Amino acid sequence: MHNAQFTIIAVLLTLFLCSCEKERKVVQGGSFTFQESGYAIKRVKVEHTGYAEDDYVLRFLAYPTTYTVSETSASGYGAVIDAYFESVTKDFEVGGTYYLQPDSSWLIVYPEIPKGDTTYHDTLYYHIVSGELKVDSADGYRTFNFGLMTEDGDSIVGSYLGEYTYNYTLDQRGYGELAFDTILCQLAMPMMMNWGHLFSENRNYFEFTFYSTDSRFSDAGKIKSGVQFVIGVHDIQQEWPVEGDYLVSVNADDATSVYYGHKLKNTAWGTYWQMFYNGSAIGKANVVEGSAKIISIDESSLNLTFTFIDQLGNEVVGVYDGPYFNEE
């Protein structure tokens, strides 16, 4: 009896101590100096806004808590760095050094306007004409260190450590095509997720998630509009699937197979397509028959063809030949 009581007390004490543990604090902040004054940075947002021949044009926004940025608008007051850089990748990568695009780069100081104040307040603009941004990592977060120069010769030097928002405001490059029903769209670079032995003790599950080039996303990373197309495959390989033919199968133990589309509870798995508009799915269907052929694949590029049939009877056909992002 006493042993049982001690056991219950120990369990309750463990639960109490666990509940008292502090959650991991999200690191997010930085600062910069300009004209001998210091300014706080509370948020950083990165946007892919254009192309410069083969490179990407990335917008770097650094702003304080008194300024708010969304996908479509910005408001508030304080000092905001709005600078553009060229990159060979669609986001800033750890270890990279990026050089300023001077045409549209500014330090902007928006005035604080007290409630009820109807007088005019100047917004101050300082044209940034040179500089660089260095990206690294610390404590599992990105670090952004920058040294910039205005056309008047004033320096802007600062850093930021923490989480940041990434989004894009234009169509992405297309490396393939997808057709089903009345839809024909270009496919942008996909992401591959290696789920390991998720559905089978003998096979690894790999999931390729494609989006149409005209897809748009919220700052939280959720698709708002466009086509999402997911191909799930099973294989014995550890890093990525092998080259060869993949038949659609309901059996997760089948080697080199495309997993059929289905739901487990509220989560979609396998192979399926979805269409989105204004943040909601307006059409979707699971793939139930057909095959895919991986012509070639390595750690960063994929050449793939497929001919499927979905649950609505549509033929779902396409090709892809280009890079992919390996989400490890």
Side-chain angles (χ1 to χ4, degrees):
M1 182 69 178
H2 289 293
N3 289 337
Q5 288 176 331
F6 285 136
T7 301
I8 293 172
I9 291 171
V11 170
L12 291 175
L13 182 59
T14 300
L15 291 173
F16 173 76
L17 291 174
C18 289
S19 67
C20 292
E21 288 183 2
K22 291 183 179 180
E23 293 183 1
R24 179 174 180 262
K25 186 177 180 180
V26 175
V27 176
Q28 189 160 300
S31 63
F32 68 92
T33 57
F34 173 68
Q35 293 181 344
E36 299 183 350
S37 295
Y39 299 88
I41 300 173
K42 189 58 181 177
R43 301 281 189 274
V44 162
K45 181 176 181 178
V46 177
E47 292 182 331
H48 171 211
T49 62
Y51 296 96
E53 297 181 349
D54 292 333
D55 290 339
Y56 297 85
V57 177
L58 301 180
R59 182 188 189 191
F60 176 79
L61 272 169
Y63 49 98
T65 55
T66 53
Y67 193 76
T68 302
V69 177
S70 71
E71 301 100 89
T72 56
S73 64
S75 62
Y77 63 91
V80 177
I81 296 173
D82 189 353
Y84 291 77
F85 300 85
E86 291 187 16
S87 170
V88 296
T89 54
K90 64 186 293 185
D91 192 2
F92 294 121
E93 300 291 338
V94 171
T97 299
Y98 302 89
Y99 299 97
L100 186 83
Q101 259 203 352
D103 294 344
S104 304
S105 296
W106 299 86
L107 168 63
I108 309 170
V109 182
Y110 294 97
E112 180 181 3
I113 303 176
K115 188 175 180 180
D117 187 348
T118 59
T119 59
Y120 178 77
H121 296 263
D122 283 332
T123 298
L124 305 178
Y125 293 87
Y126 303 92
H127 189 196
I128 304 172
V129 295
S130 65
E132 65 181 28
L133 173 71
K134 293 185 177 182
V135 181
D136 214 319
S137 64
D139 301 323
Y141 297 98
R142 286 280 206 283
T143 63
F144 298 89
N145 296 284
F146 51 88
L148 311 173
M149 188 74 68
T150 69
E151 63 182 353
D152 294 326
D154 294 314
S155 63
I156 303 168
V157 178
S159 63
Y160 174 87
L161 165 66
E163 295 183 337
Y164 68 103
T165 301
Y166 174 84
N167 211 336
Y168 52 79
T169 58
L170 74 170
D171 290 0
Q172 297 298 288
R173 289 189 171 117
Y175 301 95
E177 278 191 352
L178 169 68
F180 60 89
D181 195 15
T182 60
I183 302 300
L184 174 63
C185 62
Q186 299 291 308
L187 294 176
M189 181 177 68
M191 178 184 73
M192 186 194 80
M193 175 73 77
N194 183 350
W195 289 94
H197 294 175
L198 183 63
F199 297 107
S200 168
E201 293 182 359
N202 305 308
R203 305 282 183 260
N204 286 312
Y205 180 65
F206 301 91
E207 190 175 62
F208 292 92
T209 301
F210 298 85
Y211 293 98
S212 58
T213 55
D214 61 353
S215 293
R216 296 293 186 270
F217 296 81
S218 70
D219 281 348
K222 294 184 177 180
I223 184 171
K224 295 196 302 182
S225 63
V227 175
Q228 180 194 49
F229 180 55
V230 179
I231 301 178
V233 301
H234 279 110
D235 194 15
I236 60 173
Q237 297 300 310
Q238 296 296 318
E239 296 178 314
W240 54 78
V242 297
E243 299 168 0
D245 296 317
Y246 288 72
L247 293 176
V248 174
S249 175
V250 299
N251 187 353
D253 285 318
D254 284 348
T256 58
S257 61
V258 170
Y259 207 28
Y260 78 113
H262 61 288
K263 266 192 173 183
L264 292 176
K265 295 185 178 180
N266 292 321
T267 304
W269 293 103
T271 305
Y272 56 93
W273 60 261
Q274 297 188 90
M275 290 184 59
F276 289 84
Y277 181 73
N278 280 344
S280 299
I282 59 173
K284 53 188 173 182
N286 293 320
V287 163
V288 294
E289 296 179 35
S291 65
K293 183 179 182 67
I294 296 180
I295 299 168
S296 64
I297 187 171
D298 57 28
E299 72 270 9
S300 60
S301 63
L302 170 69
N303 189 344
L304 169 78
T305 64
F306 52 87
T307 301
F308 299 130
I309 302 294
D310 68 23
Q311 69 189 92
L312 305 178
N314 296 313
E315 190 176 47
V316 182
V317 297
V319 296
Y320 184 85
D321 187 6
Y324 72 92
F325 178 71
N326 192 344
E327 178 70 19
E328 298 179 351

